[in-house]
């Protein structure tokens, strides 16, 4: 159930990202902000959302995959240096939701910075 909740959270976060990006472009066109203002912050937010999407997709694949007889339902991930340890879907969902939370922190900071630039308290 948490997996499907995660999908909804990602949809809302992506919609908010698009609205915030559009508003910043509008404020730039109106001359209230410099062109390209908040580019780095928006880029970081996009990367963080993409990372959240990746974690979600991995969790979804792990949960919805039909294992072959004798095969584990958990996906093994490891580098050459690490021991192979199964990644649990709930940990992937948790990571995804944490990335979304980090994105909202970026959104909040952008909002504070815009209010400060516009002289709004």
């Amino acid at each position: 159930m948490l997996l499907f909740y995660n999908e909804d959270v990602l949809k809302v976060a992506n919609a908010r990202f698009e609205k915030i990006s559009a508003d910043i472009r509008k404020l730039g066109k109106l001359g209230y902000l410099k062109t390209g203002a908040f580019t780095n912050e928006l880029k970081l937010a996009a990367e963080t959302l993409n990372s959240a999407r990746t974690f979600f997709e991995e969790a979804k694949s792990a949960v919805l995959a039909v294992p072959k007889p004798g095969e584990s339902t958990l996906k093994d991930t490891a580098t050459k240096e690490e021991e192979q340890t199964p990644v649990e879907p709930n940990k992937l969902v948790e990571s995804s939701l944490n990335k979304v939370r980090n994105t909202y922190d970026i959104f909040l900071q952008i909002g504070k910075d815009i209010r400060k630039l516009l002289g709004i308290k």
Side-chain angles (χ1 to χ4, degrees):
M1 189 160 152
L2 189 58
L3 183 68
F4 299 108
Y5 170 75
N6 189 181
E7 187 170 29
D8 291 340
V9 167
L10 281 169
K11 286 178 186 177
V12 170
N14 279 303
R16 290 199 176 152
F17 173 79
E18 293 301 324
K19 287 179 183 179
I20 290 168
S21 298
D23 288 345
I24 289 172
R25 283 191 300 274
K26 287 176 190 175
L27 289 170
K29 286 180 183 178
L30 293 172
Y32 290 109
L33 298 175
K34 292 180 182 178
T35 303
F38 300 102
T39 301
N40 292 334
E41 292 85 349
L42 291 174
K43 181 179 177 185
L44 179 60
E47 290 170 355
T48 307
L49 280 175
N50 286 336
S51 181
R53 171 65 63 187
T54 300
F55 283 125
F56 165 74
E57 292 297 335
E58 288 179 24
K60 185 177 175 182
S61 293
V63 169
L64 299 179
V66 178
K68 296 177 184 173
E71 185 178 82
S72 173
T73 58
L74 299 177
K75 182 180 176 183
D76 288 334
T77 59
T79 63
K80 293 178 184 178
E81 302 85 34
E82 298 174 329
E83 292 182 34
Q84 287 197 342
T85 56
V87 176
E88 298 177 25
N90 62 335
K91 297 288 184 189
L92 293 168
V93 170
E94 182 181 332
S95 296
S96 177
L97 292 172
N98 283 331
K99 291 289 185 179
V100 172
R101 186 192 64 201
N102 294 342
T103 303
Y104 276 93
D105 289 340
I106 295 168
F107 292 164
L108 289 171
Q109 189 59 50
I110 289 172
K112 288 177 185 178
D113 292 345
I114 288 175
R115 283 191 299 277
K116 189 175 182 180
L117 288 170
L118 297 177
I120 301 170
K121 293 186 180 198

